[in-house]
Structure formats: C-alpha cells, structure tokens
Amino acid sequence: MWRRQQSELGELRQRYELLTAREREVLGLVVSGMLNKQIAFDLGTSEITVKIQRGHVMRKMQAESLAELVRMAAKLELSPGKK
C-alpha cells in the first residue's frame, strides 16, 4: 500500500511538472477557492484567459472535478494561493 501511494504521488508530481508557471499560479488560486473573475483581477488578465488556463490545468492534471483537483493539490502539499 505504501509503495502504491508513493507511485501515485510520483505520477502527480510528474503531471504538476508539466504545468507552466502561470498554470501553477492558477492552480494555487483555484484550489484556494477563488472565482475565475477574482483570479483574473489578481493576475491582471482576462476572465476568459483564466478559464482557458484552468482548463489546461484540469487536463494536464487529469482531474475530472474541482474536488479532485483540490485533493491532488493537498497530496502535493501545495499551499493555497501559492504563486
């Protein structure tokens, strides 16, 4: 069981490494509970751009829901709102 958990964590880390710096920022803000509009304001970009980046994050992390993405971030020990 421990070995399987380590393998899963390794896979998650590999997926996280595929994210661009901006996608990592968006991931941190999304899992902290911010809305796309708030994230766009924070990052000085448009809401549409945030939606696209959020979609890239979901696809690259292979998350089927926001809840699953939050669990992944917790496993990776990402602090909420990490930029």
Side-chain angles (χ1 to χ4, degrees):
M1 184 166 160
W2 180 83
R3 199 169 280 181
R4 191 189 64 176
Q5 287 175 336
Q6 289 304 308
S7 172
E8 286 175 13
L9 188 57
E11 265 185 52
L12 270 183
R13 284 197 181 112
Q14 285 178 331
R15 292 182 209 161
Y16 183 73
E17 292 300 318
L18 295 175
L19 300 178
T20 64
R22 179 60 79 150
E23 289 166 350
R24 289 178 191 182
E25 282 183 291
V26 170
L27 168 62
L29 296 171
V30 165
V31 301
S32 75
M34 289 177 73
L35 301 173
N36 290 345
K37 188 186 314 184
Q38 295 168 315
I39 295 169
F41 180 80
D42 249 30
L43 300 179
T45 188
S46 75
E47 191 174 346
I48 291 171
T49 301
V50 171
K51 285 180 184 178
I52 292 167
Q53 291 166 334
R54 185 175 177 158
H56 290 173
V57 169
M58 295 292 284
R59 189 177 65 249
K60 289 180 180 180
M61 292 300 292
Q62 299 173 20
E64 294 182 16
S65 68
L66 177 58
E68 186 177 7
L69 192 64
V70 170
R71 283 191 296 273
M72 289 175 175
K75 284 181 184 176
L76 289 169
E77 297 179 355
L78 302 178
S79 57
K82 182 179 176 187
K83 292 186 179 178

